[in-house]
Amino acid sequence: MSAIVIVGGGHAAGQAAATLRQRGHDGELVVVCNEPWLPYQRPPLSKQYLAGALERTHLYLRQQDFYDDRGIEVRSGVTVSAIDPAGRRLHTDAGESLDFSKLLLATGGRPRPLDVPGIGLAGIHYLRTIADADRIRGELDEARRVCVAGGGYIGLEVAAVAIKAGKAVTVLEAGERVLPRVATPLLSEFYTALHREHGVDVRVNAPVEGFGGDGRVESVVCGGERIETDLVIVGVGIEPNVELAAEAGLACDNGIVVDEHCRTAHPDIYAAGDCTNHPNPQLGRRLRLESVPNALDQARVASANMLGGSEVHDAVPWFWSDQYDLKLQMVGFSADGDRQVLRGDMREKAFAVFHLQGDRVVAVDAVNSPREFLAGKKLFGKTVDAEALADPAVETKTLAD
């Protein structure tokens, strides 16, 4: 009998393998990933792991014993080069082939390249994999000046690690504010001030124009100015890995197109995680999410459906980011709101901003406010009293009720 095959090495792949066994699949189960590791989590790469506070094995979603005990074959360091949907067969770059009965594509994404002069100099890095983080860690100790190109989650998390390591850090954001895709101007202003308080030189409207150096990066060109640097980390976005799917004739449009069951245009091929363009009934639109919770939920839904189920992926999107001693937790998308309600005191660095469309909660941004975050998840889509929502004396659990 052909195997159920999972292609990928991140959260979606690891969760799908576990769920398939939990759901009773006792046939051959193979995970194929092109990195030489067990499936692992990526968020710590820009935080604890980069800071040297986490061992590599602690990145693994599950240890080798888990896979051995459940008869799950993990083929690490193997790259799938082609999919034959009609023949239900995978081909690898080593010339091997692998038949499948069901296939899950959990191919994730890769850093969006920065196309400027000097990008190929040594000392310029992207951060997406363990190998990327290891290279950066290997150079961070000796660096005195670190430049981060991009003021999104990855860029700001790396900046926090580098400044705590005693480096001179500059963040260059091409847009008019940091976190431009995910935060309101209010939250962007808060995080800009936070990083500047810690000594980070945050510059906005500052696109990188090029890099200078003799073999190794020595400067960043921005606005005609040359900023001296020893180490550069580029974080300007993620592109979904869709090439395998596209070459196999599967529909792709800013991700592998799937339906509400996480199924592609082929009845036996599914996809989950950062690589998917999927419908979200909660939001009433299609989207692609770079989100661990989304990857885990899609993996569970796809696994159930590969075994004959008809489950629907219908989850409220949420995200988080750790910077310094602050945890940002976000539910939904603030851009969907037409007004906002502040709960708490931003000066105390513990607050939440609820985003309303009319009187309906469509998003919440919570900084060191786990109760408000949890309440926001329960309140999503519900009508609230904005005045009560703004009053810290009103218990969030009563609002959620």
Side-chain angles (χ1 to χ4, degrees):
M1 180 179 178
S2 299
I4 292 182
V5 179
I6 301 166
V7 179
H11 276 91
Q15 183 61 54
T19 300
L20 284 163
R21 286 298 190 233
Q22 291 165 359
R23 293 276 186 149
H25 174 63
D26 58 3
E28 188 177 359
L29 178 55
V30 182
V31 180
V32 184
C33 45
N34 60 6
E35 295 184 64
W37 323 109
L38 295 173
Y40 67 91
Q41 52 181 326
R42 298 185 191 276
L45 296 180
S46 57
K47 299 183 277 286
Q48 303 99 314
Y49 186 72
L50 186 62
L54 193 69
E55 294 295 327
R56 180 182 296 158
T57 54
H58 292 167
L59 293 172
Y60 296 158
L61 295 168
R62 294 166 180 85
Q63 301 301 315
Q64 184 65 55
D65 288 351
F66 175 90
Y67 301 101
D68 292 342
D69 292 346
R70 290 158 181 78
I72 302 170
E73 181 184 359
V74 180
R75 298 190 185 183
S76 300
V78 175
T79 299
V80 175
S81 56
I83 303 170
D84 174 8
R88 289 176 171 75
R89 180 170 299 148
L90 299 177
H91 300 282
T92 74
D93 59 354
E96 301 171 326
S97 62
L98 177 62
D99 294 336
F100 63 85
S101 57
K102 302 287 184 181
L103 173 65
L104 176 67
L105 297 175
T107 49
R110 60 186 181 277
R112 181 174 293 121
L114 183 61
D115 185 15
V116 296
I119 188 64
L121 290 169
I124 301 174
H125 302 275
Y126 297 93
L127 177 53
R128 180 67 178 178
T129 67
I130 287 177
D132 294 335
D134 286 345
R135 283 189 288 268
I136 295 170
R137 283 175 62 178
E139 297 183 21
L140 187 58
D141 285 346
E142 299 300 320
R144 292 186 298 115
R145 297 159 301 196
V146 177
C147 182
V148 179
Y153 285 141
I154 295 296
L156 295 185
E157 288 168 1
V158 169
V161 170
I163 202 76
K164 290 177 72 173
K167 313 304 175 182
V169 181
T170 301
V171 172
L172 301 176
E173 166 56 45
E176 60 185 21
R177 56 190 177 88
V178 301
L179 300 173
R181 293 191 304 122
V182 298
T184 62
L186 180 68
L187 199 62
S188 294
E189 182 180 345
F190 173 82
Y191 271 94
T192 297
L194 174 70
H195 281 272
R196 286 174 176 166
E197 286 174 12
H198 283 83
V200 179
D201 179 7
V202 180
R203 306 187 189 188
V204 296
N205 294 311
V208 172
E209 298 162 357
F211 300 99
D214 184 11
R216 182 177 178 85
V217 67
E218 298 172 1
S219 64
V220 182
V221 182
C222 177
E225 178 186 355
R226 287 191 175 272
I227 304 168
E228 292 186 357
T229 189
D230 309 304
L231 178 63
V232 174
I233 297 91
V234 178
V236 293
I238 296 296
E239 295 180 344
N241 291 326
V242 302
E243 288 75 14
L244 270 177
E247 290 167 7
L250 302 177
C252 296
D253 179 11
N254 184 32
I256 303 169
V257 176
V258 297
D259 64 13
E260 66 274 19
H261 305 294
C262 299
R263 184 173 49 227
T264 70
H266 189 287
D268 294 321
I269 301 179
Y270 294 72
D274 293 6
C275 64
T276 66
N277 176 328
H278 59 276
N280 185 293
Q282 297 279 348
L283 301 176
R285 62 180 184 266
R286 298 190 70 91
L287 71 165
R288 186 177 65 82
L289 287 177
E290 296 158 16
S291 157
V292 169
N294 177 72
L296 296 176
D297 192 65
Q298 281 195 310
R300 295 185 187 102
V301 169
S303 298
N305 294 338
M306 284 192 288
L307 298 179
S310 58
E311 293 191 11
V312 171
H313 172 57
D314 182 15
V316 178
W318 64 275
F319 318 83
W320 82 90
S321 175
D322 295 320
Q323 297 171 43
Y324 305 108
D325 57 350
L326 301 186
K327 178 177 284 293
L328 169 62
Q329 296 170 294
M330 311 174 79
V331 179
F333 298 98
S334 57
D336 291 339
D338 52 30
R339 63 176 173 141
Q340 56 191 30
V341 176
L342 175 64
R343 184 182 176 93
D345 190 340
M346 296 181 71
R347 294 170 298 182
E348 298 296 326
K349 295 184 173 62
F351 63 92
V353 182
F354 287 82
H355 302 275
L356 309 182
Q357 188 178 80
D359 291 322
R360 188 169 59 90
V361 175
V362 294
V364 61
D365 304 327
V367 176
N368 276 7
S369 298
R371 285 187 301 179
E372 279 70 23
F373 167 68
L374 293 173
K377 292 178 75 172
K378 294 179 181 179
L379 287 169
F380 184 89
K382 297 180 180 178
T383 299
V384 297
D385 181 335
E387 186 174 339
L389 188 63
D391 186 355
V394 178
E395 290 286 341
T396 54
K397 64 181 180 180
T398 63
L399 294 168
D401 291 338

